[in-house]
Amino acid sequence: MKKKILVTRNLLPENEERIKKLFDVKLNKQEKVYTSEEILELSKDCDGILCIGGNKFDADIFSKISSTVKIIASYSVGYNNIDIDAASKKGIVVTNTPEVLTDSTADIAILLLLGASRRAYEARKFAEEQKWIWATDFLLGKQMSGSNLGILGMGRIGRAIAERARGFGMKIHYHNRTKLSADLEQGATYHDNIKSLFNKSDFLSINCPATKDTAKIVNEETINYLPNGAVVSNTARGDVVDDEAMIKALKNGKIFALGLDVYNGEPKIHPDYLKLQNLFLLPHLGSATLKTRIAMGNRSIDNLENFFQNKRPKDQLN
Ligand code: DGY
């Protein structure tokens, strides 16, 4: 008999077709993100769940979840929405989808750095109004070539950003818990602490996972380590940034411009961000290409398939 899987959001047709062949699926055909209560109710008779990053699986939900559920396969690389310890205590396997969204997310990080530093938001408004006059000092931005790019979190995505930024003539600096091998560093300069990295970062790309240790790691104190007029982008998670401190720095010019793809409490955005001009905002598009989304779907289905064939899923996190 086919195993029963709750799929919490719509899948692309290519993925839906495949998962239907392999499993007895409960699909979500509505334009909505299920609440925890709905997930608990709908998964009562399920063997597994395919979820997205927007579904919260905290200790409370794990204390109530049906004992039939044996695996949660997340359609995301980030898994800060899932309490892995609580899942392990309940004997539930958790998987994610690394690697397949590295390139698309790195592209978006470059788009944010360019969009912020070259004032794309203000520029678009001038273009729409058709009242601008070309002038030597019109909408001057910051140039990436010859600048230092600091990368906070040099995992796969951080390294893919570094590779692209080298093509823009940037010098790469990074901070990670551990120094990378020369092979992975590709000439980037390692900083064993945030102060030292931020001091060097004319541009800063935030790419570390959201954990207890990285919550609000970009805050008033650390922002002040940056050179005046730095450009910052965040393609990791909103939790890493203290929004109040960031807004203050954007207002007083400490930060020249900010590019964001992720937010605290998204889809809500701190209202003060929306009053500022020196911001380039995207609605969490890091992985949003057809190729990547199909690959993410397949990766999560592979994890479910392997699990139910009694093989260790490639992306098992616990
Ligand atoms: C992820 O996979 O963690 C992304 O943020 C979702 O696009």
Side-chain angles (χ1 to χ4, degrees), residues 245-313:
M246 183 57 83
I247 287 160
K248 185 171 160 200
L250 284 162
K251 281 184 179 163
N252 67 23
K254 175 72 192 173
I255 305 247
F256 176 75
L258 172 69
L260 291 178
D261 189 41
V262 288
Y263 306 88
N264 274 305
E266 56 184 68
K268 293 217 165 62
I269 298 181
H270 192 300
D272 288 359
Y273 277 137
L274 301 175
K275 295 181 194 145
L276 296 169
Q277 301 293 308
N278 46 346
L279 236 81
F280 183 73
L281 306 180
L282 296 174
H284 204 142
L285 294 183
S287 61
T289 68
L290 183 60
K291 180 178 173 188
T292 293
R293 288 283 165 83
I294 291 175
M296 288 167 77
N298 279 327
R299 190 86 174 214
S300 36
I301 298 168
D302 289 346
N303 288 324
L304 289 169
E305 197 182 12
N306 283 330
F307 178 78
F308 288 112
Q309 287 171 346
N310 294 319
K311 293 180 204 147
R312 186 184 164 89

Side-chain angles (χ1 to χ4, degrees), residues 196-208:
S196 159
L197 174 75
F198 280 24
N199 277 170
K200 284 282 179 204
S201 301
D202 306 313
F203 286 70
L204 174 72
S205 175
I206 303 170
N207 298 99
C208 55

Side-chain angles (χ1 to χ4, degrees), residues 75-79 97 101 235-237 262 284-288 293 296:
Y75 179 107
S76 65
V77 66
Y79 49 89
T97 59
L101 42 68
T235 43
R237 285 291 183 263
V262 288
H284 204 142
L285 294 183
S287 61
R293 288 283 165 83
M296 288 167 77

Side-chain angles (χ1 to χ4, degrees), residues 14-58:
E14 294 83 346
N15 296 139
E16 190 178 311
E17 220 170 276
R18 179 171 169 222
I19 199 167
K20 274 178 168 163
K21 280 192 197 133
L22 295 169
F23 300 105
D24 176 8
V25 279
K26 274 194 200 177
L27 300 171
N28 177 2
K29 290 289 185 185
Q30 305 166 59
E31 272 305 308
K32 68 172 281 193
V33 178
Y34 289 142
T35 61
S36 300
E37 288 68 36
E38 286 169 322
I39 290 180
L40 285 173
E41 186 55 37
L42 289 162
S43 61
K44 263 186 177 160
D45 58 344
C46 290
D47 302 289
I49 301 177
L50 191 158
C51 73
I52 55 147
N55 299 135
K56 204 169 162 63
F57 287 89
D58 55 14

